[in-house]
Amino acid sequence: MRGRTVHAHVEGRGPAVILVHGASGNLRDFTFSLSGQLARKGYRVIAFDRPGLGYSGALHGRGESPAEQAAQLDAAAAQLGVGQAVIVGHSYGAAVAMAWALTQPGRAAGVVTLAGATMPWPGALKSFYTVASSGLGSALISAFATQETATRALRSIFAPQRPPRGYIDHVGIDLALRPAALRAR
């Protein structure tokens, strides 16, 4: 789309449900379990890698806004023949889903947020993302963050529960540790 690659996973038949992952994630967050469950219930499920994350190309080097990401994903959905869809956004993906619904209201049959980050989020994460989105910060984090560091971070996100069996291997931590992915939001 717009000269950039948008990676998508499509399965099932029926009304369209589009899944938009959160910060530092990729569409594998949804293909672990949710997309298959929805497809078996009679939905056409489309999970996208947001611009600059997973296997989707970045639009530019400044970190795409939710509205820019929504426009890119909307163009990809149109290319896949999607008219209206329920747009599901997880974490930061909820900000993208909301921007999508606000800018393309005729294409959003509904919006669902899962632990949605739709308002400014003060605190330590803001500082991390400020550093990670810079060229030097992303290079340093990528150079020094190990698979084990990322695995510990995932375990803390799921705490007090444990991640589902096989999730850590499935999600592709290495995709999130690339400097370009760290600069994306």
Side-chain angles (χ1 to χ4, degrees), residues 13-32:
R13 297 176 61 127
V17 175
I18 294 174
L19 305 174
V20 184
H21 65 81
S24 304
N26 62 68
L27 64 76
R28 292 181 187 182
D29 286 331
F30 294 118
T31 62
F32 180 74

Side-chain angles (χ1 to χ4, degrees), residues 20-23 29-30 50 88-95 97 112-117:
V20 184
H21 65 81
D29 286 331
F30 294 118
R50 292 190 298 109
V88 178
H90 171 246
S91 188
Y92 187 81
V112 176
T113 67
L114 305 174

